[in-house]
Amino acid sequence: MESEIIFIIALIIAVAAVYWVVLKCAAEKIATQYQLLAERFGLELNQSAVKIGGFIRPEPSVYGNYRDREISISVPGKGLQNTRQIESVLKLELKGSQLSAQLTAAGPLGGLRQRDSGGQARWKSGDERFDHAVDVRTNQGGALALLITEERRKWLTDTLKKSKATLYIGGGNLAYARLGLIANEATRKDFEAAAEFLCDLAESVEA
């Protein structure tokens, strides 16, 4: 009996040790990508200390100014629609605009994301490929049509369809939210491209 107890205790310790190592490796990968983002955009890297001996590792974030506007990339404290689905969010300052819209990939998940669109109507651009791939909600279709050029529609179609991300416009911000964490080069480069796209879009909105 005593040997069985010792075995169980040893097994629990072994499992905890493996879990700790996995957490540490994953956190290091994420931290590396955020460090590269900070260097790419000249931003401040924020990394909170680990807790409970390393079993709780808060996600890093970056914040600062890029192309004359505030920008941040972080992981909100709650998941999509208050679920456990974690999002990484790029947020960009938008000055002096009342435009409000949400754009996401069409489909079941898109419908879930659009539940918080504030009752805005679905808008269609007339571009069949774009309208089939992207679910756009806005009550200001005329203003949005002037901004979403053919080139931007193509970028949004390709990017949102591939990443299942959502673009939010309103409340003094542009935001790009994507499920999951920034733990590899491909995802980091996706956020880098999104940052440039949002900066260009913000400049058009404010023009």
Side-chain angles (χ1 to χ4, degrees):
M1 183 67 178
E2 183 178 344
S3 62
E4 291 178 352
I5 294 174
I6 293 174
F7 173 77
I8 291 172
I9 293 173
L11 181 61
I12 291 172
I13 293 173
V15 170
V18 170
Y19 182 63
W20 186 90
V21 170
V22 170
L23 280 178
K24 182 175 183 294
C25 291
E28 287 175 349
K29 289 180 180 179
I30 293 169
T32 296
Q33 299 307 318
Y34 272 84
Q35 178 65 49
L36 292 171
L37 285 169
E39 293 172 0
R40 166 67 175 78
F41 296 112
L43 305 177
E44 178 183 345
L45 174 64
N46 300 305
Q47 178 67 73
S48 299
V50 300
K51 302 176 181 178
I52 312 181
F55 283 96
I56 295 180
R57 296 176 178 269
E59 306 301 335
S61 63
V62 293
Y63 173 81
N65 282 272
Y66 180 67
R67 290 174 58 174
D68 295 323
R69 63 185 71 244
E70 292 183 5
I71 183 174
S72 67
I73 302 174
S74 63
V75 177
K78 63 179 181 179
L80 173 63
Q81 293 292 332
N82 295 314
T83 69
R84 292 182 179 271
Q85 298 184 51
I86 295 173
E87 288 185 311
S88 297
V89 179
L90 160 66
K91 188 175 289 188
L92 192 79
E93 178 187 20
L94 184 61
K95 305 168 186 174
S97 172
Q98 299 301 314
L99 180 63
S100 177
Q102 286 189 193
L103 301 83
T104 192
L109 182 58
L112 175 63
R113 286 175 174 270
Q114 296 292 26
R115 283 168 53 189
D116 62 354
S117 64
Q120 297 183 103
R122 182 163 185 180
W123 174 79
K124 293 192 176 183
S125 67
D127 180 331
E128 185 175 346
R129 180 173 179 267
F130 174 80
D131 293 336
H132 178 74
V134 181
D135 183 339
V136 182
R137 303 297 173 95
T138 184
N139 292 330
Q140 298 163 281
L144 189 62
L146 297 174
L147 298 168
I148 307 301
T149 62
E150 181 179 356
E151 182 180 355
R152 285 173 177 161
R153 290 197 303 272
K154 183 179 186 305
W155 188 91
L156 288 164
T157 298
D158 295 341
T159 301
L160 298 184
K161 187 175 180 180
K162 178 185 72 174
S163 66
K164 308 302 181 187
T166 298
L167 174 62
Y168 300 91
I169 305 173
N173 294 291
L174 291 173
Y176 175 84
R178 173 173 171 164
L179 286 175
L181 301 171
I182 306 174
N184 55 55
E185 181 182 20
T187 305
R188 171 175 54 80
K189 288 188 173 181
D190 175 66
F191 272 82
E192 290 176 353
E196 298 293 354
F197 178 86
L198 292 190
C199 283
D200 291 341
L201 183 61
E203 290 170 0
S204 295
V205 172
E206 295 166 358

